[in-house]
Structures are given as structure tokens and as C-alpha cells.
Amino acid sequence: MNRTRRGYLGAVAGVGLGAAAGCLGGGSGGGTSDCDIGDEPAVSSLPAPTLGPDDAAVTVAAFEDFACPHCATYSLNVFPDIRAEYIETGVVRYEYHDFPLPVDERWSWQAASAARGVQDEVDDSTFFEYAHALFENQDSYSPRVITDLANDVGAPGCAIQADALNETYRPVIEADRQRAVDRGAQGTPAIYVEGRSVSPSYDAIAGAIEAER
């Protein structure tokens, strides 16, 4: 049963950084668990979560770190406009990829693993809903926040907390991280339109999309 949204918001107030800037690395975070968490096997294969038609004219790939404040700025303030203008109209196939720099030695990995757990348990659309909620609450990460936000989107909260604490999807996330490195990405968010790196601003992304249509 879903829990009531707890109002873990407030992170956005600390996220007002220019979308064109990027994250380059950082520290660690804490928190305690309120679920009965056991060990579980790692998952080594899971496709990138996507939105939009597979046969869309343009593919946009975003590489992000869930602990990066610049990624929160992009995901909360830029991505919704890209989604409304280009994804929901069928022009763009949008791929999300993990790129833990890591900004935070714990949550860059564990929040990403929780989000991939939501994808695996539910579907890609719910992954994006959960990712949005994570970025809204970026300054408040804890096992309880991870769990309650998962419940809010209809995913099994304690199972998602287990995915986070066990870093169940770390092999998947590490593979994504290597893809970013192979592309030459040095910070987050790293946005690619048809394989070409563009600034994480609406105007830059929209201009690149229009050039490829």
C-alpha cells in the first residue's frame, strides 16, 4: 500500500545553479534503514530507461548523477519542457543513463540503484516519475526517503530500499558510467543529441533536435 507523500521537498531551493554548469565529484552521505534488508544477487543487465517511440527521428541520451545538483536543475527545470515539446509529440526517443562521478560516494550509487529497481519492478515511465521525485528531494536522501518515494509511485518500497543498500544494479550503473567515459563525458549532466554533445540547456537541446529532424 502506498504511503502518503511525506513532503521531503526543499531540495530544489539548494539547486538553483546554472543548467549549463556541471558536477565534477564530491563526498558522502548517511542515513539508516527501517526495512528488513537481506543480501540479494547483483543484476548485471537492464536496458536504459526510455521515453518516446523507438522509431523517433531523433535520439537524445542524458547521462546524470542523482547526487549532482546541476542534474537536479536540468531534470526539474529543463527536461520537462523537452518532454512536452519533443518526447510526447513523438519527435524524440529519450534515453536516461547513469553517470555516477560520483558526486557523493554513497548516494550517487544507491539512489541510482533504487531508480533502476523501480524501472525493473514497474516500468520505464515509472522510473522517470521516481527519478523526478529523487531529484526533488536530493538534499534529503535517506533509506526512508528512498522507500517512501518508491511507495508513492507504486513500487515496493522496501524492495527498492534493498536495491539501494545492496547496490543491486551497480553492474548496470557501472556499464553506463563506462559508456559516458567512452564518449568523453567529464561532468554531469552530459547530454547527447544523435551522439553529439550539447549544453544541458533547453535552447541548445531544442536547437540540436531541430537540426536533426
Side-chain angles (χ1 to χ4, degrees), residues 198-209:
V198 301
S199 172
S201 68
Y202 177 83
D203 288 345
I205 298 168
I209 291 169

Side-chain angles (χ1 to χ4, degrees), residues 39-47 112-113 116-121 159 162-163 166-176:
D39 293 335
E40 55 186 41
V43 174
S44 60
S45 179
L46 186 67
S113 195
R116 288 308 190 98
V118 169
Q119 177 198 3
D120 208 8
E121 290 276 1
D163 291 335
N166 285 308
E167 298 185 10
T168 302
Y169 294 87
R170 186 164 182 134
V172 173
I173 296 161
E174 287 177 337
D176 254 2

Side-chain angles (χ1 to χ4, degrees), residues 53-126:
D54 290 341
D55 61 351
V58 182
T59 297
V60 176
F63 290 79
E64 299 185 58
D65 183 323
F66 277 105
C68 170
H70 301 286
C71 294
T73 298
Y74 166 77
S75 289
L76 299 176
N77 300 333
V78 177
F79 172 66
D81 292 336
I82 297 296
R83 182 171 183 169
E85 185 69 22
Y86 294 107
I87 300 171
E88 293 177 357
T89 58
V91 175
V92 161
R93 179 180 187 270
Y94 190 90
E95 301 174 353
Y96 182 97
H97 297 274
D98 290 297
F99 185 18
L101 296 168
V103 171
D104 183 289
E105 292 292 344
R106 177 180 185 182
W107 291 112
S108 290
W109 296 100
Q110 291 192 3
S113 195
R116 288 308 190 98
V118 169
Q119 177 198 3
D120 208 8
E121 290 276 1
V122 190
D123 57 26
D124 286 13
S125 179
T126 307

Side-chain angles (χ1 to χ4, degrees), residues 8-32:
Y8 290 121
L9 307 182
V12 180
V15 170
L17 304 169
C23 292
L24 298 174
S28 60
T32 57

